[in-house]
Amino acid sequence: MVESSPTTEDRFSEGKVTFEKITGLPANAFLDGLENVAPAFGRFVMEWEFADVYGSSSLDLKTRETIMIAACAALGATAAPILKLRIGSALRAGVSRQEIIDICIQVGIPAGLPAALSAIQIAGEVFAAVKNPS
């Protein structure tokens, strides 16, 4: 028997649900932000990142969000908006504020102090906007 793979529409729907669960934000708001510029890319993000990758990873959510913070922090200013989003997602996944700061500090070793400092400043902005003191 040949197992059928999920349809693109199934993956898109699954990705939207996962996006909302992880980020706490409406998927349609994210997609609307790309609608006039790159609507296919928004769909790709939902299907690939949030349905395929997040849907089949052996890593727990806290570990995945920790990795996302480290990678985005290492990219520096290029990834600043996504870093801000992922810090919020990490807090939702149970990563503590101190762990987030420690991740940013560790990034300073391979990526440099400017990248670490920028990431710490972004973390401070997210912390100030989030009421949960964890």
Side-chain angles (χ1 to χ4, degrees):
M1 173 189 248
V2 176
E3 190 175 316
S4 65
S5 59
T7 67
T8 299
E9 213 46 53
D10 291 341
R11 290 173 50 235
F12 182 61
S13 295
E14 179 184 336
K16 286 173 62 175
V17 168
T18 303
F19 176 92
E20 291 176 354
K21 181 176 139 192
I22 290 171
T23 67
L25 302 171
N28 286 336
F30 173 83
L31 294 166
D32 290 347
L34 293 170
E35 183 62 34
N36 293 327
V37 182
F41 187 72
R43 187 176 185 95
F44 176 73
V45 168
M46 291 300 154
E47 292 173 2
W48 182 69
E49 180 178 355
F50 289 97
D52 297 345
V53 175
Y54 268 66
S56 65
S57 179
S58 65
L59 301 173
D60 63 55
L61 185 57
K62 185 176 176 181
T63 302
R64 286 182 271 171
E65 291 305 316
T66 299
I67 292 166
M68 293 300 289
I69 289 173
C72 290
L75 289 170
T78 304
I82 303 304
L83 176 59
K84 187 177 264 190
L85 175 74
R86 290 310 191 156
I87 289 171
S89 297
L91 290 169
R92 290 173 52 82
V95 181
S96 73
R97 291 176 182 214
Q98 188 59 54
E99 288 171 322
I100 291 168
I101 295 302
D102 289 344
I103 293 164
C104 295
I105 291 168
Q106 288 294 308
V107 163
I109 296 168
L113 294 178
L117 182 57
S118 176
I120 289 168
Q121 289 171 333
I122 290 169
E125 293 172 16
V126 175
F127 297 165
V130 175
K131 293 179 178 33
N132 181 358
S134 66

